[in-house]
Amino acid sequence: MIKAVVFDWAGTMVDYGCMAPVKGFIEGFRSIGYEISDEMARKPMGIAKLDHTRAIAAMIAEPITEEQILEAYRIFEETMFADIEQYCDVLPYVIEAVAMLKRQGIHVGSTTGYTDKMMEKVIPAAARQGYTPDLCVTPDQVAKGRPYPYMMWQNLMHFNLTDPREVIKVGDTVADIEEGKAADCWTVGVIMGSSDLGLTRDEVAVLSDEELKSRKAAVRARYYQAGADYIIGDMSSLANVVADINRRLELSASHKLLTPGPLTTRSSVKRAMLTDHCTWDDEYKAITTSVMDDITHISANDSYATVLLQGSGSYAVEAMINCLVAPDEKILFLVNGEYGKRMLTIAEDSHRDYDSLVFDVTRPVELEAIEQKLKADAAIDVVIFVHCETTTGVLNPLEALAKLAKSYGKKVLVDAMSSFAAYEIDMLNLDIDALAASSNKCLEGLPGLSFVIAKKSLLEASEGNSLSHSLDLNDQYQGLYAGGGKFRFTSPTNILLALRQAIDEYGKEGGLPARRARYQKNHDVLVRGLEELGLHSLVDPEYQSYIITTFDLDGFDFADLYAILKSKGFIIYPGKLTSTPTFRLGNIGDVYPEDMEALVKAIAGQMEDLSRKG
Ligand SMILES: *Cc1c(COP(=O)(O)O)cnc(C)c1O
């Protein structure tokens, strides 16, 4: 939640139109023989006043000596001091806005371009009208004024704050916005009474609606270009801004996602997204190629290639089925959960010749039945199955299934979405033809990119198989490899950069063995903890993966459990079984055994409040 709002002074809280300095600068430059316009006097408004004097001097065509600058500044100060108190009128809605902040327990800080000496007059004059901020920082008190963030930092220090996203900077000049942005705080530009608008109340009163509208639009455009987060007419809108930022902060409050994607990711991975890149840039293409190579080498060698594909995991599964199975080949799908079923839909919709064996969802698929089927139906060319069925958390016996299918000479394609990078999948030795996975499961990248790892020979022989152009893996492969890492269509550049970072993090952690060990530990802590609370996992431990676990709700209401755990910072996942009310907990992503302990504790603390409906 917002903890402090830091206001500018002149043009924002006092001195409608920010008139005092303008008059001062005109007098100052007149004293050294130059008539400057209002506009020139205003242009650098907001920065420290001596810097401001220099900035005006730089606008004058003739060279101005340092001596002249200091003289202009001396007269500026003199003029300011003489009648600054006449320019301390508090702006409309300021008193109400500050009272609103105080009621919410929000600190009221301030920064200014004025000197300490000037503020000695301004602060009491504002106080007489009812405005007194908790703190005022001037450029005299720090190494540099705006646009440097030091005055903002001084405010943060004073209020014992560490997170700049809990602080708003409000001002009436581009320099104010820049100061706030340099400090990484939220920034708000105020239009009416601003130096940027540059009009007195009387001047505003006689403007036509049309004229005022166009002048306000010009101010808005300058604030927008400077990067203001919010632009308001006057202080009566500040309450809405605070409420809206609080809503956004709450929405982005860090939750541990105990779901199998999207999942909790490291901040370094999210930060990697913060650059705009284009698809055809050589540097970017090299990153794309490195990502594909690194993925290939997690499960295979250079006789395989990784083909990245825009879209979630299902896109890769569909592309794999559509492209790596020839139109005249018959598929056998092994199904023991929703993801297996989804593949049937894909095959159905693309008019494939297929058959399926459907098994109990709480158990792995059965080798014996599969062997019988392979014996009975010689027309089958391809066997496709899900490695870890995320529906329940059941792990299918990848090695045995691959060996069995291969012993009958079948092509083997695997949906390894939720197991890739956490379970050893030796594609080479098992002779697995292809697998599909995504950036947003055990690689702990962000959602939006998926991939297929396949034998190069298979990819090369797949031309013309796909009925879809966008999902044509062969075409995508040609594009990405012949083009040196160039996507055929717009690449999700930010997501790819995040995936590059995620793969680096994977290596940093210790690769597959380290990730497996962490997930295993997460899973153990979770299951043991919940068992102690009387919540039992549904799948026999023998068949259970360390990716996601299904628990019996045991009479609890899922919506209640979800809401309570969300308020404690955990997001859980509904169950998918039709027979029993269940919930699921994923333990992949940037989560650790301590998080699992915290979750168990959170559930334990709420056991009595949770209504048992059974
Ligand atoms: C996540 C997942 C997918 C892909 O689902 P999307 O919603 O398309 O990302 C496919 N198969 C399995 C086993 C999965 O866990």
Side-chain angles (χ1 to χ4, degrees):
M1 301 291 255
I2 288 299
K3 303 268 173 58
V5 177
V6 178
F7 294 99
D8 167 58
W9 279 85
T12 301
M13 304 302 265
V14 299
D15 188 12
Y16 196 101
C18 194
M19 296 299 166
V22 174
K23 186 168 170 241
F25 284 120
I26 290 174
E27 292 298 331
F29 278 86
R30 185 170 290 151
S31 77
I32 58 166
Y34 295 98
E35 286 301 322
I36 61 166
S37 64
D38 267 31
E39 203 188 328
M40 281 169 80
R42 277 188 192 285
K43 195 129 192 257
M45 196 67 79
I47 64 176
K49 294 306 173 209
L50 184 55
D51 296 339
H52 189 145
T53 313
R54 290 206 169 89
I56 296 173
M59 286 182 234
I60 295 171
E62 295 161 44
I64 312 280
T65 66
E66 179 67 11
E67 241 167 76
Q68 284 177 297
I69 288 172
L70 293 178
E71 177 57 16
Y73 180 69
R74 192 180 68 78
I75 299 298
F76 158 77
E77 265 197 329
E78 228 176 71
T79 315
M80 284 282 284
F81 284 128
D83 52 15
I84 197 166
E85 277 149 311
Q86 294 167 32
Y87 293 99
C88 288
D89 54 306
V90 168
L91 265 59
Y93 310 110
V94 160
I95 302 297
E96 295 84 342
V98 170
M100 172 277 296
L101 297 175
K102 289 280 160 197
R103 276 197 304 279
Q104 296 187 37
I106 296 172
H107 301 294
V108 177
S110 68
T111 65
T112 178
Y114 283 178
T115 61
D116 275 340
K117 266 174 76 186
M118 294 173 194
M119 290 315 293
E120 276 168 25
K121 292 197 168 189
V122 176
I123 290 172
R128 283 194 290 278
Q129 300 165 75
Y131 171 53
T132 307
D134 302 325
L135 179 71
C136 175
V137 181
T138 72
D140 293 343
Q141 301 166 27
V142 293
K144 279 175 192 294
R146 297 171 191 150
Y148 288 84
Y150 308 144
M151 293 193 290
M152 291 301 295
W153 292 354
Q154 196 85 344
N155 274 271
L156 263 80
M157 283 199 285
H158 179 83
F159 297 123
N160 292 320
L161 300 177
T162 56
D163 184 356
R165 301 311 281 170
E166 293 174 346
V167 179
I168 305 175
K169 169 69 206 291
V170 184
D172 71 308
T173 61
V174 165
D176 281 298
I177 309 287
E178 287 172 345
E179 176 193 35
K181 287 189 73 67
D184 202 23
C185 297
W186 299 91
T187 54
V188 180
V190 198
I191 297 177
M192 295 308 291
S194 68
S195 175
D196 235 53
L197 193 65
L199 301 168
T200 63
R201 286 173 208 248
D202 293 344
E203 285 166 338
V204 166
V206 299
L207 278 188
S208 71
D209 284 355
E210 196 86 340
E211 181 63 23
L212 183 59
K213 216 170 133 187
S214 101
R215 296 225 193 167
K216 282 166 75 174
V219 177
R220 173 179 296 276
R222 282 193 290 275
Y223 288 166
Y224 184 75
Q225 193 183 345
D229 294 303
Y230 293 84
I231 299 168
I232 57 177
D234 57 44
M235 287 299 167
S236 65
S237 303
L238 191 65
N240 291 341
V241 170
V242 172
D244 195 57
I245 294 176
N246 280 338
R247 177 190 62 78
R248 289 165 71 174
L249 288 175
E250 199 169 306
L251 197 67
S252 63
S254 62
H255 285 105
K256 298 286 177 190
L257 270 58
L258 302 177
T259 63
L263 33 84
T264 316
T265 54
R266 281 171 93 81
S267 59
S268 64
V269 170
K270 289 184 277 271
R271 271 204 305 270
M273 282 197 301
L274 299 179
T275 30
D276 299 316
H277 239 293
C278 62
T279 300
W280 42 263
D281 173 79
D282 281 343
E283 239 173 296
Y284 178 74
K285 287 190 333 196
I287 295 172
T288 305
T289 300
S290 76
V291 163
M292 294 193 296
D293 286 349
D294 288 356
I295 291 173
T296 304
H297 289 125
I298 290 175
S299 274
N301 67 7
D302 287 329
S303 60
Y304 287 74
T306 296
V307 184
L308 287 165
L309 198 66
Q310 299 94 326
S312 80
S314 301
Y315 289 67
V317 173
E318 180 153 353
M320 175 173 77
I321 293 171
N322 260 314
C323 197
L324 301 185
V325 177
D328 59 356
E329 286 182 318
K330 180 173 181 179
I331 311 169
L332 174 65
F333 287 104
L334 313 176
V335 178
N336 61 336
E338 289 303 319
Y339 293 99
K341 278 192 201 155
R342 188 176 295 176
M343 296 199 290
L344 297 184
T345 309
I346 290 169
E348 186 66 34
D349 288 357
S350 49
H351 311 290
R352 292 286 156 168
D353 183 11
Y354 73 95
D355 202 345
S356 62
L357 287 173
V358 181
F359 301 91
D360 180 348
V361 295
T362 61
R363 300 171 60 86
V365 299
E366 290 162 25
L367 291 161
E368 218 164 290
I370 298 161
E371 181 153 21
Q372 272 172 25
K373 182 78 183 170
L374 292 177
K375 269 186 189 151
D377 186 353
I380 292 166
D381 302 291
V382 188
V383 175
I384 307 184
F385 60 90
V386 176
H387 184 197
C388 172
E389 239 311 347
T390 322
T391 312
T392 51
V394 166
L395 191 71
N396 282 318
L398 176 98
E399 225 181 285
L401 286 169
K403 282 180 179 159
L404 174 63
K406 284 293 163 180
S407 72
Y408 283 83
K410 309 303 176 194
K411 203 189 274 183
V412 173
L413 308 184
V414 184
D415 170 351
M417 205 66 59
S418 61
S419 57
F420 180 77
Y423 278 90
E424 202 80 57
I425 302 175
D426 189 346
M427 294 183 81
L428 202 59
N429 279 315
L430 295 175
D431 197 27
I432 292 173
D433 295 272
L435 68 76
S438 92
S439 65
N440 190 231
K441 301 265 165 127
C442 302
L443 281 177
E444 301 188 2
L446 296 164
L449 259 178
S450 53
F451 52 87
V452 174
I453 310 176
K455 288 178 180 167
K456 281 182 179 162
S457 56
L458 183 61
L459 282 165
E460 274 150 23
S462 65
E463 197 170 336
N465 284 352
S466 180
L467 297 175
S468 155
H469 181 45
S470 302
L471 293 180
D472 187 341
L473 214 54
N474 178 274
D475 204 40
Q476 183 89 343
Y477 168 68
Q478 301 294 347
L480 279 167
Y481 282 82
K486 188 185 174 307
F487 278 80
R488 288 179 300 163
F489 313 137
T490 303
S491 153
T493 47
N494 310 67
I495 303 301
L496 186 113
L497 294 173
L499 178 57
R500 177 63 268 166
Q501 183 65 34
I503 293 169
D504 291 342
E505 298 287 342
Y506 185 66
K508 217 200 292 174
E509 185 176 6
L512 198 146
R515 195 146 289 185
R516 173 176 49 208
R518 173 159 62 90
Y519 289 172
Q520 182 86 62
K521 184 93 194 286
N522 283 349
H523 172 76
D524 291 349
V525 169
L526 200 58
V527 172
R528 213 176 312 127
L530 291 190
E531 290 278 344
E532 275 170 25
L533 298 178
L535 291 168
H536 302 290
S537 93
L538 229 86
V539 171
D540 190 313
E542 196 187 335
Y543 310 137
Q544 172 67 53
S545 68
Y546 45 78
I547 303 294
I548 185 166
T549 314
T550 303
F551 292 93
D552 194 328
L553 263 168
D554 196 25
F556 290 123
D557 181 60
F558 178 78
D560 287 353
L561 188 64
Y562 182 89
I564 286 175
L565 292 178
K566 185 175 178 187
S567 74
K568 307 240 165 228
F570 298 101
I571 303 291
I572 64 169
Y573 205 50
K576 257 193 174 177
L577 296 187
T578 42
S579 52
T580 331
T582 56
F583 67 104
R584 288 180 289 173
L585 294 173
N587 53 256
I588 61 176
D590 190 34
V591 291
Y592 298 83
E594 304 85 87
D595 299 312
M596 302 301 127
E597 276 159 22
L599 172 79
V600 171
K601 242 189 184 159
I603 297 178
Q606 299 296 326
M607 289 297 271
E608 275 158 32
D609 290 349
L610 283 165
S611 52
R612 267 213 155 90
K613 303 228 162 120

